Amino acid sequence: MKAAVLPIFRSQWLWHAWSGESAQVLVKAPHWRTGRNLEERIQLLSETLKVKFQEKLMGEWTKLEQAKAGTLRNRGYKLAQAVLSREDPMETFLKSVPDPPAPLEVIAPDVFEERYVRRRLRMLAASSQRRHRSRMGLWLLALLPQAPILLTPLPAITIYYTAYRFYSHYRALKGGQALQRRFLDLDAQQIARLRAQLLDMQAGEGGLEVKPGTWVSDLLQPKHMYLDLFQRLEETQRREALERQRVDNPDPSEPGSNQEKNMLIFTASKELTSILQPAKRLTHPLDDKAAVAAAEYLGAPNLLQGVARARKRAVGAMFPMQLKSPEGV
């Protein structure tokens, strides 16, 4: 999975995620009774329900797409297309983040420090959960009064759209949670590496003198403030080992089984800087020519549509290509 950072206008960024797969295929989840414990059975049952719900939505959307021109369903499809074109690009990005977490490579212009990109992505993951959780509640409240329409011969287009918006915010919420889990796993890995280095220094010649009450002594203990990070790291490693054993690596003694996997990879791209020209974005919005060049370089589908939506939110539907000062000024 890959994600790109594109400066749109001033402080406005576009986060765009995509996969190398040519098409999204719904994979049927194993039967929930095949789970080895209660937790795994509950997870498999939730995945099965999610796949069935996705199949239902996709089936109804296909019916709208194939409706004859001039029919009520066709008009509803055109209306839905117009409404969906206004979807928040941040919501689209979060919906593209896979859950359960998988390795994610974030590609950004090299003029942006990795620490800055990481901080903005962490803030996006935290703030998006509150927003989409509240939006889910609002769309659920809007869905309940429409339920009696299902008992009438009237078309249920509004119900399907409301259900879609509820599910869209649900997927965005799950994407934000998956991002936050990636950061927590990354924090746990960094703390574990630091603790291992300090233990080696303490066991080496001369030894490392640690004053009690400092953060170093708390880390070497470890105190309760670090226990949750180490427990999380152990839980992540155990979950990945079980997943490898169940899917593609049945032998836990095989080389590479216990290697630490980086869930977040930040890549600085000099070519992306040359294409996007971030310094110019302080006064000029990102134009379509640069967006097309970035899409070709990254191999990212639907990037131009995302740029158009993000630019519209940043500076409006119409924007000047050249900012000229009035005459005589």
Side-chain angles (χ1 to χ4, degrees):
M1 194 73 187
K2 294 184 178 181
V5 177
L6 283 78
I8 299 298
F9 185 57
R10 295 178 181 172
S11 62
Q12 300 296 321
W13 284 5
L14 171 67
W15 300 86
H16 183 78
W18 73 97
S19 155
E21 300 176 355
S22 58
Q24 292 182 351
V25 180
L26 293 179
V27 180
K28 186 177 181 181
H31 197 274
W32 65 274
R33 292 184 182 274
T34 60
R36 288 185 287 266
N37 49 52
L38 179 60
E39 181 181 0
E40 189 171 344
R41 290 184 177 184
I42 293 176
Q43 182 180 0
L44 291 176
L45 180 60
S46 65
E47 291 179 359
T48 302
L49 295 176
K50 181 174 68 174
V51 170
K52 289 183 177 180
F53 185 71
Q54 287 178 336
E55 291 176 347
K56 179 66 175 178
L57 284 180
M58 290 178 64
E60 294 299 331
W61 186 256
T62 302
K63 291 180 181 179
L64 292 177
E65 287 179 332
Q66 298 175 353
K68 295 182 179 179
T71 60
L72 187 59
R73 283 181 175 271
N74 180 258
R75 294 175 182 176
Y77 172 72
K78 292 181 179 180
L79 178 62
Q81 286 284 76
V83 174
L84 292 177
S85 63
R86 301 185 178 184
E87 184 177 85
D88 187 358
M90 294 295 185
E91 181 179 340
T92 305
F93 165 70
L94 291 173
K95 290 194 303 181
S96 303
V97 178
D99 183 34
L104 177 65
E105 180 185 5
V106 180
I107 306 173
D110 62 349
V111 295
F112 298 137
E113 294 184 3
E114 178 182 332
R115 182 174 57 182
Y116 181 53
V117 177
R118 186 196 305 265
R119 182 167 66 246
R120 288 195 60 157
L121 186 58
R122 188 190 291 265
M123 293 175 61
L124 172 62
S127 61
S128 64
Q129 297 182 49
R130 297 188 296 269
R131 179 177 183 272
H132 292 292
R133 189 177 286 111
S134 61
R135 295 297 176 87
M136 281 176 57
L138 293 176
W139 282 107
L140 181 61
L141 292 177
L143 180 63
L144 295 178
Q146 303 179 60
I149 299 179
L150 295 174
L151 305 177
T152 66
L154 297 175
I157 296 177
T158 58
I159 293 182
Y160 293 134
Y161 175 72
T162 306
Y164 169 78
R165 292 305 301 150
F166 172 82
Y167 182 65
S168 178
H169 285 292
Y170 169 78
R171 287 180 57 194
L173 174 64
K174 288 298 182 180
Q177 292 174 347
L179 270 180
Q180 193 168 42
R181 284 197 297 271
R182 284 180 173 88
F183 278 110
L184 291 175
D185 293 340
L186 188 61
D187 293 342
Q189 292 176 6
Q190 293 175 344
I191 292 294
R193 293 195 201 102
L194 178 59
R195 184 172 185 269
Q197 293 176 0
L198 291 174
L199 289 175
D200 292 341
M201 294 173 63
Q202 194 175 36
E205 295 183 2
L208 176 66
E209 296 184 1
V210 179
K211 296 182 179 180
T214 60
W215 67 269
V216 178
S217 63
D218 293 341
L219 180 59
L220 294 177
Q221 294 285 331
K223 292 290 186 179
H224 66 280
M225 64 181 299
Y226 296 109
L227 281 177
D228 57 340
L229 289 175
F230 292 120
Q231 291 173 357
R232 180 174 188 84
L233 182 60
E234 293 176 359
E235 179 184 353
T236 301
Q237 293 174 347
R238 183 170 62 252
R239 185 176 62 249
E240 292 178 353
L242 290 175
E243 186 67 20
R244 285 193 297 267
Q245 185 178 2
R246 184 172 68 89
V247 181
D248 57 355
N249 192 7
D251 186 6
S253 61
E254 185 176 334
S257 297
N258 296 323
Q259 289 182 357
E260 201 174 72
K261 183 186 296 185
N262 292 328
M263 302 302 292
L264 268 178
I265 305 171
F266 293 88
T267 303
S269 173
K270 184 179 298 184
E271 291 80 4
L272 203 58
T273 301
S274 177
I275 294 172
L276 300 177
Q277 300 180 11
K280 188 178 179 181
R281 304 286 78 85
L282 296 176
T283 56
H284 292 74
L286 185 66
D287 53 68
D288 290 342
K289 182 179 179 181
V292 171
E296 293 177 352
Y297 167 71
L298 296 169
N302 303 323
L303 180 61
L304 189 58
Q305 294 88 331
V307 169
R309 281 187 287 160
R311 187 173 56 202
K312 184 177 180 179
R313 286 178 171 266
V315 295
M318 302 297 293
F319 62 95
M321 297 301 298
Q322 298 292 336
L323 300 181
K324 298 181 179 180
S325 59
E327 295 182 1
V329 177

